[in-house]
Amino acid sequence: MARILLTEDDEAVRSFVKRALELDGHTVEAAEDGGEAIEILTREDGKYDLLLSDIKMPVMDGIALALHTARDYPDMPILLMTGFADQRERANGLDSLVHDIITKPFSLADIRKAVRDAIAGDMPQDTRRYA
């Protein structure tokens, strides 16, 4: 299965998503913020099949992380998550870099499907999932 870097500052959400993805057989490494994720990406030379990141985080947010990742690892698919409409609007210009933006709260089935689609390169059915 895939090797996924999960970046989420909320411990409960991070644990929930990590366990959900591991149920599908993925290997998931978790980071608490974008700064830590950059360190992991650098250490591992970008050897991940997917970056899954929250948008709103301390130190480095998910948008800055997505820009950095797309620049250094252009073939890595990126999925963003947010529960804030203003953060979703900030990410609108990233359509060419980000596979999809998942709206919180989401179900296990939602996140597992979004990850499967991103790894497979399948475009979301309604292009973007706006709240």
Side-chain angles (χ1 to χ4, degrees):
M1 298 301 321
R3 192 162 182 235
I4 300 169
L5 179 56
L6 168 64
T7 310
E8 168 64 63
D9 61 320
D10 182 307
E11 173 66 33
V13 175
R14 189 171 58 246
S15 295
F16 172 79
V17 172
K18 185 176 191 299
R19 284 192 311 270
L21 299 178
E22 288 172 342
L23 287 173
D24 285 340
H26 301 298
T27 301
V28 181
E29 185 158 358
E32 292 185 24
D33 62 57
E36 183 181 354
I38 293 295
E39 291 175 13
I40 293 169
L41 283 169
T42 302
R43 181 184 74 226
E44 298 294 321
D45 196 27
K47 292 188 170 112
Y48 288 91
D49 300 302
L50 177 71
L51 171 65
L52 174 59
S53 179
D54 189 19
I55 292 178
K56 191 171 184 178
M57 297 182 294
V59 182
M60 176 186 282
D61 71 9
I63 292 174
L65 174 59
L67 291 169
H68 183 281
T69 302
R71 182 195 69 209
D72 291 354
Y73 311 103
D75 295 330
M76 185 184 306
I78 301 169
L79 271 178
L80 295 178
M81 310 176 281
T82 189
F84 300 95
D86 64 325
Q87 297 303 312
R88 175 178 282 289
E89 289 174 18
R90 282 185 55 224
N92 272 342
L94 301 177
D95 290 350
S96 65
L97 305 177
V98 174
H99 180 79
D100 198 5
I101 302 168
I102 308 305
T103 301
K104 294 177 185 177
F106 46 75
S107 69
L108 283 174
D110 291 339
I111 194 67
R112 292 167 77 190
K113 181 178 183 336
V115 165
R116 276 193 310 271
D117 290 350
I119 292 168
D122 296 338
M123 291 310 295
Q125 290 175 342
D126 55 9
T127 310
R128 292 277 176 237
R129 295 181 182 107
Y130 289 101

